[in-house]
């Protein structure tokens, strides 16, 4: 089953801006991710979630997509409407 999912996976670089994931969906996704095991059960990952347009725009401006392709992605009007930013808590892990 996992292999089938991996084989069907693809990289999305354009999104339908009319569909904005609500915060409950974003929180559910993070909740599922945080249940995954971590080394020594430190749980060093922290999550920042947003679907607020002004914050999403700031995050988008700080990202670099498909740099190896030497084109600007996502195309105008195809930017994501939400972000889940994953951060490492450096007070728990040093590397």
């Amino acid at each position: 089953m996992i292999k089938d999912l991996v084989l069907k996976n693809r990289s999305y670089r354009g999104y339908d801006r009319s569909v904005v994931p609500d915060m409950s969906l974003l929180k559910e996704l993070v909740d599922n991710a945080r249940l995954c095991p971590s080394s020594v059960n430190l749980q060093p990952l922290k999550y920042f979630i947003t679907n607020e347009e002004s914050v999403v725009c700031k995050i988008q401006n700080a990202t670099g997509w498909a740099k190896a392709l030497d084109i600007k992605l996502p195309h105008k009007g195809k930017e994501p409407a939400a972000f889940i930013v994953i951060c490492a808590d450096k007070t728990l892990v040093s590397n």
Side-chain angles (χ1 to χ4, degrees), residues 27-57:
K27 288 177 182 178
E28 181 181 346
L29 292 170
V30 168
D31 191 46
N32 289 333
R34 72 171 189 79
L35 295 174
C36 295
S38 66
S39 178
V40 194
N41 201 28
L42 288 177
Q43 303 298 325
L45 301 181
K46 306 298 181 201
Y47 304 88
F48 176 80
I49 57 176
T50 187
N51 62 0
E52 187 179 322
E53 189 171 352
S54 63
V55 180
V56 167
C57 184

Side-chain angles (χ1 to χ4, degrees), residues 15-23 26 48-65 72-75 77-85:
Y15 300 89
D16 181 350
R17 293 283 298 168
S18 70
V19 179
V20 179
D22 64 33
M23 288 301 285
L26 297 172
F48 176 80
I49 57 176
T50 187
N51 62 0
E52 187 179 322
E53 189 171 352
S54 63
V55 180
V56 167
C57 184
K58 287 179 184 177
I59 295 170
Q60 178 60 51
N61 289 337
T63 66
W65 295 28
K72 176 150 175 38
L73 290 175
H75 296 293
K78 296 292 187 179
E79 301 90 352
F83 274 99
I84 298 173
V85 179

